[in-house]
Every structure is written in C-alpha cells, then in structure tokens.
Amino acid sequence: MSHQVKVATYNIRKAVGLDQRRNPARIINVLNEIDADIITLQEVDRRFGARVSALPLAMLEAETPWMPVPLHFRPAAIGWHGNAILVRKGIEVRNVAPIEMPTLEPRGAVMAELSVAGHSLRVIGVHLDLSGLWRRKQVRALLAAIDACPRLMPTVMMGDFNQWSDSGALSELAFHHHRIVQTPKSFHTSRPVARLDRIVVSHDIQVSAADCHVSLLSKQASDHLPVWAALHIG
C-alpha cells in the first residue's frame, strides 16, 4: 500500500524578509503553517564568517516537529552551501551525502536516503546557478549522482533551480526517469512572475496535489514563496 508524504521547498533568504529584517521566528512559523513531512531549504546558512545557520538549531528543536539531516560540515550550520533538509521526527535518515557540482558561484546540493513509514525515499535539495550554461552542467551532475547510487529508489529533487521555463537546463530531465511537478510561480513574493522553485520526482512517485503556500507571513518572510507537493510512494 502506498504512503502519502508532504514535501516542500523554501528559499528563506537567510531569514531576511521583505522588510529587510532577519527574523528566524517568522520563517519557523511559515514552516509550521506548511506542516510538511520533508522540507528542503536554500540560503539557510549565512554566507560569511562561521556561516552559522539563519535558523538556530535550538529554535528548530523547541518549536518545530523537524530535525535537520546531519551534515556536520560546520559546527553552527545546518546546511551545505546553504542547502539543508529537514525531516519530521520519526523519519529514519539512512544515509546523507553532499553532491559536488560544477559551479561558477558557491553552489551545491545535499542528498539524503530516508525511510518513511517503511518506504525508501531519496531526497535531494538544490540551489542552482544563475547562468543557464552552468545550470545545465549542474542538472547533469545531479542526475549522474543519482545514477551512481547503489540502490534504486523513488527520488524527489527540490529547490531553487533559478530556471524560468521548463526547457533549458530542465530539458535534461527528458533523458532521465524524472518529471517536473507543475507548481505556481513563486518568485518574487510581492508579485510572483517566475517558477524558480521546483519539485522534480521520479516516475515511480504519484503526485496528488501541489501548490505555493501563500499566507500573511509567507508574503513577508522571504522573497520566495514556499512550494509544496503531496506525494505517494511505495
């Protein structure tokens, strides 16, 4: 029997909202509104210095049902190149690894293999380059990383792909067993004109619903709206 899991992706812009104030509590409240089982975050760590998390770990532990998958690259960070994966407590994290990508800017991706109610699921959180040429190379690197995994399992890639259309770099998916979930435009929050935030699933995953999360808080917390999907695995 299949199991439903809600996933979401959110570029939190280091918790700096449209009012130009850093407010991690506001981001935490938006995440609680979404109430997804698995969340990928972009721009979660500050760029300079110790690159500490913009969402304090103590706040996540005390005020949410999630834990970050363990990356352990920097003591006060929860992500890698700003990418983090949050999973609802009770979901088993079996394996975690960074994905090295060809890059012009500081970019990367993180991959976790999970057990959700006894069903295997691979989750990849990404933030791709602004350059179309580099984005194409990066999508190829993501697909190569999936192909190199020893176990075949349902896979979801989520994040800020920085791609306006379904063509360009995303056309690489046509040669792989993945498809783009149709979600609304999520950027810019004040007037969404671009589908930069994407959810991509392998063909063995069924999608029953997908949307942006729009609320009074999400319209102020970041320059991106969160995007979510209800998936059926197994």
Side-chain angles (χ1 to χ4, degrees), residues 182-202:
Q182 292 305 305
T183 51
K185 296 171 182 176
S186 57
F187 180 86
H188 185 280
T189 304
S190 59
R191 185 180 175 219
V193 295
R195 236 175 239 103
L196 302 187
D197 305 284
R198 304 285 191 143
I199 298 174
V200 177
V201 298
S202 54

Side-chain angles (χ1 to χ4, degrees), residues 128-170:
L128 300 189
D129 207 282
L130 293 171
S131 159
L133 174 62
W134 287 98
R135 279 199 305 275
R136 186 178 291 271
K137 292 178 180 179
Q138 290 165 355
V139 170
R140 289 175 180 172
L142 292 172
L143 296 175
I146 294 171
D147 287 338
C149 291
R151 294 183 61 204
L152 180 67
M153 68 179 68
T155 298
V156 54
M157 290 182 276
M158 302 186 286
D160 182 353
F161 282 73
N162 268 317
Q163 178 74 37
W164 284 54
S165 71
D166 290 352
S167 57
L170 294 182

Side-chain angles (χ1 to χ4, degrees), residues 3 11 59 74 100 103 116 131 136 162 177 182 188:
H3 178 76
N11 184 329
M59 184 180 290
R74 293 178 181 271
E100 296 282 356
T103 179
V116 185
S131 159
R136 186 178 291 271
N162 268 317
H177 299 297
Q182 292 305 305
H188 185 280

Side-chain angles (χ1 to χ4, degrees), residues 39-229:
I39 305 168
T40 64
L41 299 175
Q42 301 83 53
E43 298 192 28
V44 73
D45 299 326
R46 301 192 197 184
R47 178 165 293 186
F48 302 106
R51 300 185 182 179
V52 300
S53 174
L55 297 182
L57 183 57
M59 184 180 290
L60 275 172
E61 291 177 340
E63 301 180 22
T64 82
W66 305 287
M67 62 178 184
V69 300
L71 295 170
H72 302 312
F73 291 109
R74 293 178 181 271
I78 65 170
W80 186 68
H81 285 302
N83 293 287
I85 302 175
L86 305 181
V87 296
R88 190 179 294 278
K89 294 168 187 173
I91 292 177
E92 179 187 354
V93 180
R94 291 178 172 171
N95 188 41
V96 181
I99 300 176
E100 296 282 356
M101 298 193 300
T103 179
L104 182 63
E105 306 170 84
R107 299 291 191 204
V110 289
M111 176 167 58
E113 293 182 355
L114 311 173
S115 176
V116 185
H119 299 279
S120 295
L121 180 66
R122 180 179 293 116
V123 177
I124 300 175
V126 307
H127 191 182
L128 300 189
D129 207 282
L130 293 171
S131 159
L133 174 62
W134 287 98
R135 279 199 305 275
R136 186 178 291 271
K137 292 178 180 179
Q138 290 165 355
V139 170
R140 289 175 180 172
L142 292 172
L143 296 175
I146 294 171
D147 287 338
C149 291
R151 294 183 61 204
L152 180 67
M153 68 179 68
T155 298
V156 54
M157 290 182 276
M158 302 186 286
D160 182 353
F161 282 73
N162 268 317
Q163 178 74 37
W164 284 54
S165 71
D166 290 352
S167 57
L170 294 182
S171 64
E172 297 291 326
L173 298 169
F175 303 99
H176 215 269
H177 299 297
H178 291 78
R179 69 185 187 280
I180 303 165
V181 177
Q182 292 305 305
T183 51
K185 296 171 182 176
S186 57
F187 180 86
H188 185 280
T189 304
S190 59
R191 185 180 175 219
V193 295
R195 236 175 239 103
L196 302 187
D197 305 284
R198 304 285 191 143
I199 298 174
V200 177
V201 298
S202 54
H203 284 308
D204 48 1
I205 293 178
Q206 301 299 315
V207 181
S208 58
D211 209 343
C212 284
H213 176 76
V214 182
S215 70
L216 290 175
L217 281 177
S218 71
K219 289 192 289 186
Q220 289 295 322
S222 171
D223 56 350
H224 289 248
L225 289 169
V227 174
W228 63 268

